[in-house]
Amino acid sequence: MPQDRAQALALLRRYNKEPFHLQHALTVEAVMGWYARELGYGEEAEFWSTVGLLHDIDFEQWPEEHCQKAPELLREAGADSRFIHAVVSHGYGLCSDVEPEHEMEKVLFAADELTGLIGAAALMRPSKSVQDMEVSSLKKKFKDKKFAAGCSRDVIRQGAERLGWELETLFERTLQAMRATEADIAAGMAAL
């Protein structure tokens, strides 16, 4: 694992330039930190957050090798096998055969796609924010297969199942995480 957030952010920026990808990384970082604290893993919040920040490290430059190139990039940066396993497990069944095992990996698997769907739904709102978004609104967007078609509904459903949660619970918690961290994410993007 990179020694600190500044080092992790520099690593992310080495391979990612697109604002969309950077915002997604910051969003997943913040959501993972929120989940760590919420689920009783507060002492591991930095680990959860850093995995979230770097989970798509290889996606922008090597989309065809997503989760295949990441271990090499992360090893070069000093990441250990636990960190690499966590990162590549989020692509399980899509671009990786590494299954999410730890609760953190299951949260990442479920929340990664869902943050994308929530982010797209927020952009459609007059407020451009998640602060006034209701779960019922998110459910409608989820059911509309044409909306944010790149966000896999199957992965989101599988993620909830892996966690042993109802889909609505995953929606509620992830929306709550994004509400709690929205200002921090915006500040992080402004600082880039």
Side-chain angles (χ1 to χ4, degrees):
M1 179 169 126
Q3 292 173 349
D4 58 26
R5 186 177 187 276
Q7 191 180 46
L9 196 55
L11 185 61
L12 174 72
R13 303 273 326 260
R14 184 180 315 157
Y15 302 109
N16 291 268
K17 310 291 183 222
E18 292 290 325
F20 176 84
H21 293 143
L22 294 170
Q23 174 140 6
H24 177 65
L26 294 179
T27 300
V28 177
E29 172 192 33
V31 166
M32 289 301 291
W34 182 92
Y35 265 116
R37 290 181 289 279
E38 184 72 13
L39 298 175
Y41 295 93
E43 72 286 349
E44 290 188 44
E46 185 180 349
F47 181 80
W48 285 47
S49 294
T50 307
V51 168
L53 183 68
L54 296 175
H55 79 285
D56 279 346
I57 188 169
D58 60 1
F59 186 75
E60 187 175 309
Q61 290 189 28
W62 299 277
E64 301 303 315
E65 295 178 70
H66 184 39
C67 292
Q68 307 302 314
K69 184 79 173 167
E72 173 192 332
L73 303 177
L74 293 168
R75 262 193 299 276
E76 286 172 8
D80 62 17
S81 58
R82 177 177 173 234
F83 190 92
I84 292 168
H85 187 281
V87 166
V88 298
S89 72
H90 88 276
Y92 181 68
L94 301 169
C95 54
S96 168
D97 57 1
V98 176
E99 193 166 354
E101 295 168 0
H102 184 278
E103 189 167 17
M104 181 271 290
E105 296 170 344
K106 294 174 184 178
V107 169
L108 177 62
F109 181 87
D112 176 31
E113 290 288 307
L114 185 53
T115 61
L117 184 70
I118 293 170
L123 291 175
M124 303 299 292
R125 304 181 71 74
S127 66
K128 305 278 189 241
S129 171
V130 294
Q131 296 304 324
D132 58 353
M133 187 183 298
E134 299 294 330
V135 172
S136 57
S137 170
L138 180 57
K139 283 162 108 172
K140 286 180 192 156
K141 296 293 188 194
F142 181 82
K143 288 177 184 169
D144 179 357
K145 305 256 186 292
K146 291 182 182 135
F147 179 79
C151 295
S152 171
R153 276 55 169 181
D154 287 341
V155 167
I156 295 168
R157 276 192 207 92
Q158 286 174 34
E161 287 170 18
R162 283 182 180 283
L163 286 162
W165 298 352
E166 294 295 322
L167 195 55
E168 187 157 342
T169 301
L170 177 63
F171 286 177
E172 285 170 358
R173 286 181 163 175
T174 305
L175 192 52
Q176 190 179 352
M178 288 181 72
R179 279 191 202 116
T181 60
E182 187 173 57
D184 293 338
I185 296 162
M189 280 302 288
L192 288 181

